[in-house]
């Protein structure tokens, strides 16, 4: 078989494929056998009908068509391997020449057009310069952390005054669309300013005392009347404020392993500083990626954008079904921009991973599996099984590899804070050197040999 790739654009390739009659012969023989199993001819057992009789009954052209259809994917995959392209879309196939199976010579010729991952030229990404916010934790940060901790041990007490921000209310509400009551509830708990209920609720309840009510209009977000404007009546039946415990040694002993409030404050200061450093690392990582995208021209195939935008707004896609109500030109433009940016990120980071010869170890894949399982609230073993059975492990390997590539660039970057101080992110980008305790269990559950994990060229790995 001969194959050659012709670049139609930076993201689209045309494959010219030629299959000789000798190479096609096994497929033709298999096609005759398959057709013979499907027809009944008096005097011949099923599956034993000679080729000449099959030709008489269904025609030689049908047999040849069957042979070609059965072999096209294999020849296409072989052409992909020979030319080294990385397909991103479904191939468009056009057959230009078909050999006569009765002849001794001839060729099957066809072309394939397919979108491919573009080849890019990486810039010098050594010592990229980025600036992040200063990370010094002040007294206000410590006090905020202490107040949050006190809030976990706070108690609610009724107050005889109008509701204010952060108060906790007990409310009754009812919603009407026109003259029809569409929903109602009693005895609900709501914190003023939380924004967890209807839009306009905070403004309506602020200033109300127990026994008072207010009416406001809002757009309903769910249910059969989603998107409609409703008139909502809210009645406050109780106003409570949170009373925080005193920040003293007794509280330190209650809320932590420390004996004194000074020790607790010292630990909170340490945690605040560590949190600031992590924030610096996240900010630096994002800015380094922004610089890479600015430095590299990455063409994005239209098919990738179209597929992702359609999937986002397709009501059949349960994850994004609600977006059907928000299918606006502005929202589509936003999804399109996000898709293009995600594609560029992947292409650039994959290229860096190739250049840096970055691989993915067993422990790194397992750490990612365990972390992701936790984000979904799932058992790591169960999550690993689902990923393995659905063929998603190569995609996860690609994600881990790209994260390592970005960490490698960040490790070489020159990072300073807004006050001109050098920022040490060595802890933030340090390589993983210990395998999580759950590793062997997750691998056993996944029934997958992750010790030989390598980067995948599977088109599924570029779906975001």
């Amino acid at each position: 078989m001969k194959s050659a790739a012709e670049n139609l654009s930076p993201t689209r390739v045309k494959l010219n494929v030629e299959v000789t009659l000798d190479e096609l012969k096994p497929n033709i023989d298999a096609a005759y056998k398959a057709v013979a199993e499907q027809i009944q001819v008096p005097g011949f057992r099923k599956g034993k009908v000679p080729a000449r009789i099959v030709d008489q009954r269904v025609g030689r052209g049908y047999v040849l068509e069957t042979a070609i259809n059965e072999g096209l994917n294999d020849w296409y995959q072989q052409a992909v391997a020979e030319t080294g392209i990385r397909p991103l879309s479904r191939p468009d196939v056009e057959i230009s020449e078909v050999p006569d199976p009765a002849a001794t010579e001839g060729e099957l010729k066809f072309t394939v057009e397919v979108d491919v991952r573009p080849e890019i030229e990486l810039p010098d990404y050594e010592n990229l310069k980025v600036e992040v916010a200063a990370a010094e934790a002040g007294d206000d940060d410590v006090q905020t952390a202490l107040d949050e901790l006190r809030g976990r041990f706070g108690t609610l007490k009724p107050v005889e005054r109008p509701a204010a921000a952060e108060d906790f209310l007990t409310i009754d509400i009812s919603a009407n669309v026109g003259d029809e009551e569409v929903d109602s509830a009693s005895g609900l708990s709501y914190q003023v300013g939380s924004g967890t209920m209807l839009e306009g609720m905070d403004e309506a309840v602020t200033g109300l005392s127990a026994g008072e009510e207010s009416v406001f209009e809002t757009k309903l977000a769910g249910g059969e009347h989603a998107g409609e404007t409703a008139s909502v009546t809210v009645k406050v039946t109780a106003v409570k404020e949170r009373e925080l415990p005193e920040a003293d040694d007794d509280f330190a002993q209650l809320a932590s392993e420390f004996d004194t409030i000074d020790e607790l404050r010292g630990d909170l200061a340490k945690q605040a500083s560590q949190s600031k450093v992590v924030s610096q690392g996240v900010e630096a990582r994002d800015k380094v990626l922004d610089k890479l995208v600015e430095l590299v021209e990455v063409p994005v195939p239209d098919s990738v954008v179209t597929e992702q935008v359609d999937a986002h707004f397709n009501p059949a896609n349960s994850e994004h079904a609600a977006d059907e109500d928000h299918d606006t030109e502005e929202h589509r433009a936003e999804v399109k921009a996000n898709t293009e940016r995600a594609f560029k990120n992947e292409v650039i980071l994959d290229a860096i991973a190739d250049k840096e010869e970055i691989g993915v170890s067993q422990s790194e894949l397992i750490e990612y599996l365990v972390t992701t399982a936790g984000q979904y609230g799932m058992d790591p073993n169960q999550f690993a099984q689902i990923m393995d059975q659905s063929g998603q492990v190569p995609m996860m390997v690609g994600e881990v590899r790209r994260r390592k590539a970005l960490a490698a660039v960040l490790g070489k970057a020159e990072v300073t804070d807004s006050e001109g101080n050098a920022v040490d992110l060595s802890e933030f980008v340090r390589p993983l050197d210990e395998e999580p305790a759950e590793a062997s269990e997750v691998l056993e559950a996944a029934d997958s040999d992750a010790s030989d994990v390598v980067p995948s060229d599977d088109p599924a790995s570029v779906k975001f």
Side-chain angles (χ1 to χ4, degrees):
M1 192 193 86
K2 298 179 183 178
S3 62
E6 174 187 348
N7 292 325
L8 302 178
S9 75
T11 61
R12 194 161 181 84
V13 165
K14 181 179 181 180
L15 296 177
N16 297 289
V17 185
E18 298 179 2
V19 183
T20 66
L21 188 59
D22 287 341
E23 292 169 321
L24 185 58
K25 188 68 165 56
N27 296 81
I28 295 176
D29 293 340
Y32 271 115
K33 185 174 181 180
V35 175
E37 291 282 352
Q38 298 169 9
I39 63 175
Q40 292 183 347
V41 179
F44 297 96
R45 286 182 297 166
K46 192 173 184 179
K48 301 297 183 180
V49 182
R52 60 183 178 81
I53 303 299
V54 171
D55 288 344
Q56 293 174 3
R57 288 299 182 99
V58 301
R60 185 175 296 172
Y62 176 79
V63 175
L64 183 58
E65 181 183 346
T66 301
I68 293 173
N69 287 338
E70 288 297 320
L72 266 180
N73 185 62
D74 290 338
W75 299 320
Y76 164 66
Q77 295 295 342
Q78 187 177 338
V80 167
E82 288 179 355
T83 57
I85 65 170
R86 301 173 71 179
L88 294 177
S89 62
R90 292 182 180 274
D92 295 327
V93 181
E94 182 176 341
I95 298 175
S96 57
E97 186 176 321
V98 178
D100 184 348
T104 57
E105 294 182 355
E107 290 180 325
L108 166 69
K109 295 182 179 181
F110 64 94
T111 60
V112 181
E113 289 191 16
V114 63
D115 287 329
V116 295
R117 173 169 287 213
E119 298 295 329
I120 62 171
E121 184 175 344
L122 286 173
D124 180 10
Y125 50 80
E126 300 277 345
N127 302 316
L128 293 178
K129 294 179 173 58
V130 295
E131 182 182 290
V132 297
E136 184 178 353
D139 293 339
D140 290 344
D141 297 302
V142 176
Q143 188 60 47
T144 298
L146 180 59
D147 288 343
E148 288 178 355
L149 184 60
R150 292 167 65 203
R152 299 177 197 171
F153 294 85
T155 56
L156 297 180
K157 67 171 186 177
V159 291
E160 299 294 331
R161 60 167 175 77
E166 298 187 5
D167 282 343
F168 289 82
L169 312 180
T170 303
I171 60 174
D172 299 335
I173 64 172
S174 63
N176 285 60
V177 174
D179 296 329
E180 178 189 1
E181 183 180 281
V182 297
D183 201 2
S184 64
S186 300
L188 298 179
S189 179
Y190 180 71
Q191 184 180 17
V192 181
S194 64
T196 55
M197 280 195 185
L198 298 171
E199 185 177 349
M201 176 70 77
D202 290 326
E203 294 81 357
V205 297
T206 299
L208 296 183
S209 299
E212 296 180 339
E213 64 180 39
S214 176
V215 179
F216 66 99
E217 290 192 347
T218 190
K219 184 173 289 187
L220 299 178
E224 61 180 298
H225 294 279
E228 297 183 42
T229 298
S231 175
V232 179
T233 301
V234 54
K235 180 179 181 179
V236 175
T237 59
V239 179
K240 301 175 184 178
E241 66 178 7
R242 182 161 52 189
E243 191 173 59
L244 301 182
E246 286 294 325
D248 52 20
D249 292 347
D250 289 338
F251 173 71
Q253 294 167 20
L254 170 68
S256 70
E257 70 273 25
F258 300 105
D259 294 327
T260 68
I261 190 64
D262 289 338
E263 291 175 323
L264 175 57
R265 282 182 177 274
D267 184 68
L268 292 176
K270 180 180 177 181
Q271 291 182 36
S273 296
Q274 292 173 339
S275 177
K276 292 281 188 179
V277 172
V278 171
S279 297
Q280 281 186 320
V282 172
E283 184 182 356
R285 178 199 65 194
D286 293 344
K287 288 187 173 180
V288 162
L289 187 54
D290 288 341
K291 281 189 174 291
L292 287 172
V293 173
E294 290 175 6
L295 292 171
V296 185
E297 183 67 30
V298 182
V300 182
D302 291 338
S303 62
V304 169
V305 176
T306 300
E307 179 183 345
Q308 293 299 313
V309 172
D310 288 347
H312 188 87
F313 291 100
N314 182 4
N317 184 340
S318 59
E319 181 181 354
H320 298 296
D323 282 336
E324 185 183 13
D325 297 329
H326 306 284
D327 190 354
T328 63
E329 185 176 341
E330 293 79 9
H331 194 178
R332 279 187 173 268
E334 179 185 359
V335 174
K336 180 176 181 290
N338 291 341
T339 299
E340 291 176 346
R341 174 58 190 263
F343 180 81
K344 291 178 180 180
N345 290 350
E346 287 198 0
V347 171
I348 293 171
L349 294 179
D350 282 342
I352 292 174
D354 290 341
K355 182 177 180 179
E356 299 287 337
E357 298 182 344
I358 292 174
V360 177
S361 70
Q362 172 179 312
S363 56
E364 289 166 336
L365 178 59
I366 296 307
E367 182 185 48
Y368 182 80
L369 279 166
V370 172
T371 300
T372 309
Q375 293 172 348
Y376 285 102
M378 295 180 62
D379 174 74
N381 296 334
Q382 181 187 16
F383 183 73
Q385 285 181 330
I386 293 174
M387 292 297 99
D388 185 49
Q389 292 168 3
S390 61
Q392 295 297 307
V393 172
M395 178 272 292
M396 302 183 80
V397 171
E399 177 63 21
V400 175
R401 189 167 179 257
R402 284 185 284 274
R403 291 184 178 200
K404 291 184 65 179
L406 182 54
V409 178
L410 180 57
K412 300 174 182 179
E414 184 179 320
V415 184
T416 56
D417 65 19
S418 55
E419 298 176 355
N421 302 312
V423 177
D424 180 10
L425 295 178
S426 55
E427 277 294 305
F428 190 80
V429 299
R430 67 181 176 85
L432 179 70
D433 52 16
E434 291 187 2
E435 182 172 327
E438 300 93 340
S440 59
E441 299 175 6
V442 177
L443 282 179
E444 182 179 355
D447 193 24
S448 173
D449 185 7
S451 61
D452 297 323
V453 170
V454 295
S456 171
D457 283 339
D458 188 330
S461 69
V462 300
K463 299 294 185 276
F464 351 103

